[in-house]
Amino acid sequence: MAAVCAARIAWSGLLSKQPVGVRCARNSGQGCNQSTLQMIFRRFMRYSQTLIPTVKEVPADAEIISHQLMIRAGLMRKLASGTYIYLPAGQRMLAKVIQIVREEMNRTGAQEIIMPVVQPLELWQQTGREVDYGETLGKFIDRHGRGNVLSPTAEEGFTFLAANEIKSYKQLPMNLYQINTKYRDEFRPRFGVLRSREFIMKDAYSFHANEECLHKTYMNMYCAYCRVFERCGLEYVIVLAESGEMGGSGSHQFTVPCANGEDIIVYTADDKQAWNIEKAPVDPLPKQPPAQVGPVEDFYTPRAGKIEDACAYMKVKPHQLIKTLVYKCGEGAILAMVRGDHEVNPEKLTRLMDGVHIEMADEAMIVELTKAAVGFAGPVGLCDKAARVFIDHGVAGLAVGATGANRTDYHIMNVVPGRDFPLEGANIQVADIRNAVEGDTYEGKKLLFKRGIEVGQVFKLGDKYTRKLESRYVDADGREKYPLMGCYGIGINRIIASAVEIGHDENGMILPITIAPWEVIVTPAGQEADVIAAAENIYSELLAEGVEVLLDDRDARGGVKFKDADLLGIPIRITVGKKTLAEGKAECKLRSESDRTTLPISSAAGEVARRVKALKAKLNEPKR
RNA sequence: CGGGGUGUAGCUCAGUUUGGCUAGAGCGCCUGGUUUGGGACCAGGAGGCCGAAGGUUCGAAUCCUUUCACCCCGACCA
């Protein structure tokens, strides 16, 4: 009883000795301007006054480690599937990442604006992306019957602005960006914040009079992105990516390698080249020597619409099967043939179609085209019925194969490419249309695979959007032209999730100091008045040094505070305890290391402030 | 959108197969006490429309129908 009371009295007594600035703030600011007040409140951080709801149990619906820890550490809570509430600690992390991104963008001369999240549907109809984006595009109709889009990206909005404001080559180049909420009506949100419906993205759009200028800005952004990810303390890999329906000629993706990544990175064994799997090229497989093959033979394969079922009937291996997929492009049918053990890469098809939107044909269209149920399509007799036919090198290289008979419940064997279906023709093309797989090579070099989280991507868009939205400027030669565009995105939330994915141990997050919610936590271990007083002192001194510090002033046991500090991943912990205090010392521990060092209590704050600055400098002064 | 799974206390989950006493445990929360350097202990307490709606039954968390939400696999994805 007595001890608790003493402790409470000690706390309340110290609370009344708050720094003068704070008292002044509460007394409606005598002599303090608004920004000073905000600064003081932002830095004045007591655990007991902050909503950091840590939990011991792993949340049932969190599958991957970053999701689990972000919930457990009290960074966020789920509001609905794919939407999260960011709590104070999470908000602080987002704010820090945003600030880094903003600084690096501004350094390149990009200008920050804010675009509405709700945008007119007509703009999206003009560029054709209402259709291309499909159901992922969030839409609603307002009370006036107008269609609205919840912006998943903002090419339309920025190009609209350019169309109205960029009239002369003298205004070019121009690079505009925003850091704003994006919405995508994902079929399946998952992995916590890695694939959420609502997220924060930095998106920039640049406008140029010529290709060289676009390239220059593109490379500037590329470098700025390197700096951003280095400052955030992330290990990252840059891969060549597909620009797909975004249109345009070039793209790089910035990915953080980790086991839970959704993207697959393909790289050569010598580590010289890397691609997203959508883009990774493969060498054609060696052509099989021609064999003596009898005529095509029907084979009864009831209900064997799947590769493995058909193989079982015909006693062949998947790599001997020719898989025929039907895509559509407007009204026309597109055939894509790959081996049974390979997968069609739609991005590669899109590129062969010059960026035209394609999608899987529906059942009705397949039945109409092949006169058979889905699963029994084959190239024999079908190639002249399709607008375009793409045959993978792997198929063309087969000496003999089996495939669908274009007749329900039948396959055919002894099919020889070039004999039983054409490999050449006006509408026919043998090409690389499949995903790379284990064992493939490129330019003779072995291809290797790893998973990664995409945290940023840069694109060259060309004039796709400026043409569609009639954005024209007058060039030096007096003629009207369409500016070339680049676009550049960074997933703010994903930076945090990937930092957690690669920075954690069994006790919780281990965060880079540049994005951790606080730089230092001061933990009084014990409720004795002198311990609390010493902790308060160090806390005040750190505040005065400009360090972002959290004081764990809770009336809790030491163990609880240590567990929470570890969970939160705060890079530096200063512990004030009875024993060390008696020796005039405080203890300093880095979250990333197990050793502790003791510091004289009188100089502890100054020394820790120096360490904070050194740690930050290490990340904030990138090599590039 | 196809396949699978789960909805019971703030959280993690028993109980449902085989309907039956007042619906449980651990953690968290509140009160009091003992503690206080790695998620303490004792005692007491609050907290539930058993996801929702209909049905079967003397009786439903439990059986049936419908529906909603969430999760996983797949498809999809600048």
Side-chain angles (χ1 to χ4, degrees), chain A residues 96-104 228 231-232 514-515:
Chain A
K96 288 186 155 195
V97 172
I98 286 171
Q99 189 54 29
I100 289 171
V101 170
R102 178 174 285 136
E103 284 170 16
E104 293 303 329
V228 165
R231 288 184 62 185
C232 290
T514 44
I515 63 172

Side-chain angles (χ1 to χ4, degrees), chain A residues 13-157:
Chain A
L14 283 159
L15 281 168
S16 69
K17 289 182 208 151
Q18 285 159 357
V20 173
V22 171
R23 214 186 268 161
C24 144
R26 293 202 173 146
N27 294 339
S28 75
Q30 302 150 351
C32 290
N33 66 32
Q34 198 59 36
S35 70
T36 318
L37 293 183
Q38 281 170 352
M39 206 172 69
I40 289 163
F41 276 120
R42 201 165 63 78
R43 291 194 179 155
F44 192 74
M45 297 304 306
R46 290 173 181 272
Y47 204 125
S48 67
Q49 306 301 308
T50 311
L51 180 63
I52 311 174
T54 58
V55 286
K56 275 191 267 193
E57 310 231 38
V58 178
D61 55 6
E63 189 79 354
I64 63 169
I65 191 74
S66 60
H67 188 192
Q68 293 172 355
L69 284 176
M70 288 172 78
I71 300 288
R72 286 230 292 136
L75 300 187
M76 63 178 195
R77 288 291 185 262
K78 185 166 74 177
L79 178 64
S81 177
T83 53
Y84 292 88
I85 304 163
Y86 281 86
L87 305 180
Q91 188 282 138
R92 290 177 68 89
M93 290 184 69
L94 285 175
K96 288 186 155 195
V97 172
I98 286 171
Q99 189 54 29
I100 289 171
V101 170
R102 178 174 285 136
E103 284 170 16
E104 293 303 329
M105 291 303 293
N106 291 347
R107 184 204 289 267
T108 69
Q111 306 175 65
E112 184 169 6
I113 67 167
I114 295 179
M115 183 62 56
V117 171
V118 173
Q119 303 177 355
L121 178 62
E122 292 88 76
L123 270 182
W124 290 72
Q125 289 168 332
Q126 279 181 53
T127 57
R129 288 214 303 173
E130 185 198 9
V131 174
D132 293 354
Y133 230 98
E135 293 186 306
T136 307
L137 187 64
K139 286 179 275 196
F140 70 93
I141 293 173
D142 64 26
R143 68 167 81 193
H144 305 290
R146 287 185 291 241
N148 293 279
V149 167
L150 297 170
S151 172
T153 165
E155 284 77 6
E156 282 77 2

Side-chain angles (χ1 to χ4, degrees), chain A residues 1 14 29 86 93 126 140 150 167 187 218 223 229 261 330 345 347 430 434 447 452 466 469 560 601:
Chain A
M1 170 80 184
L14 283 159
Y86 281 86
M93 290 184 69
Q126 279 181 53
F140 70 93
L150 297 170
K167 295 293 175 196
F187 283 113
Y218 183 87
C223 294
F229 298 123
N345 177 325
E347 304 296 332
V430 175
R434 67 180 173 91
L447 293 178
T466 45
L469 293 176
V560 172
I601 202 115

